[in-house]
Amino acid sequence: MNIVFRLLVIASLVLPFAACKKEEAPQQNEAKVAPPLPTSSEQKDWKPYLEYKITPHMGGITSSPYVYFLPNTDAEDFEGKYQRQLEKLQADLGRGMTEGVMLVFASPAQEKEVEMIETAFKQVQPGTMKGVKVVFIGTPILGERVKVAVEPAGVTYIFEEAK
């Protein structure tokens, strides 16, 4: 009985401190400094930036985001990479996207990325992608073009300015 009583006393002393530490953790994450906009065409260099931009929008997402990335237009075999990325996006959209999915579009070649989005979303039937989030990271003018292309599908469109 003495042991049980001691364990209860210890637990009652430790729990308040454990709760305080949990409350402090989110405050540390909020103060995280934004990584700079990458200047390279390497997707690996964009990863921390993309994570920073999309993390606030992950609520309700049930799987890893689909990230569509194009290198700069002067990259070796850019046209081939563009075509493969377009075919992948069309195939993904053709299979259908269910609620809880996020599509992320970011690229140093923003104009070509938008062209790819506009081309691929032409095949999507209106209202068939409810509960799907589409995140475009780019300029406000291009963001408006993306919005016009994707909203008829019923997605939740999220624009993040590339800066």
Side-chain angles (χ1 to χ4, degrees):
M1 186 72 166
N2 242 356
I3 294 174
V4 173
F5 180 72
R6 286 181 186 166
L7 289 175
L8 286 174
V9 170
I10 291 171
S12 67
L13 293 173
V14 172
L15 283 175
F17 292 110
C20 289
K21 290 190 184 272
K22 287 181 183 178
E23 289 175 14
E24 291 172 10
Q27 292 172 355
Q28 291 171 352
N29 290 339
E30 289 172 13
K32 187 176 180 182
V33 177
L37 178 66
T39 56
S40 79
S41 282
E42 297 296 320
Q43 189 171 1
K44 67 177 176 57
D45 296 337
W46 282 71
K47 187 175 185 211
Y49 179 78
L50 294 176
E51 286 176 357
Y52 177 81
K53 287 290 195 175
I54 67 173
T55 297
H57 308 294
M58 291 297 292
I61 300 304
T62 58
S63 62
S64 294
Y66 290 75
V67 178
Y68 301 91
F69 177 85
L70 289 172
N72 247 328
T73 54
D74 61 359
E76 185 177 329
D77 189 33
F78 175 81
E79 284 304 318
K81 291 175 182 176
Y82 171 84
Q83 194 59 43
R84 286 186 294 279
Q85 193 72 220
L86 174 61
E87 289 169 3
K88 180 184 180 331
L89 176 57
Q90 288 174 324
D92 291 344
L93 294 174
R95 278 194 308 272
M97 296 283 169
T98 59
E99 187 173 339
V101 170
M102 177 186 280
L103 309 177
V104 179
F105 298 92
S107 172
Q110 293 178 24
E111 185 74 36
K112 289 298 280 185
E113 187 91 349
V114 172
E115 180 183 307
M116 180 183 75
I117 294 166
E118 291 171 330
T119 301
F121 270 83
K122 285 179 184 175
Q123 76 180 23
V124 178
Q125 296 297 315
T128 58
M129 293 179 63
K130 291 189 186 318
V132 173
K133 291 182 182 179
V134 172
V135 179
F136 174 71
I137 302 168
T139 64
I141 292 171
L142 293 176
E144 284 302 311
R145 282 180 50 194
V146 172
K147 181 178 182 177
V148 168
V150 302
E151 279 192 336
V155 303
T156 300
Y157 175 66
I158 301 165
F159 170 73
E160 280 283 339
E161 188 169 2
K163 55 181 179 176

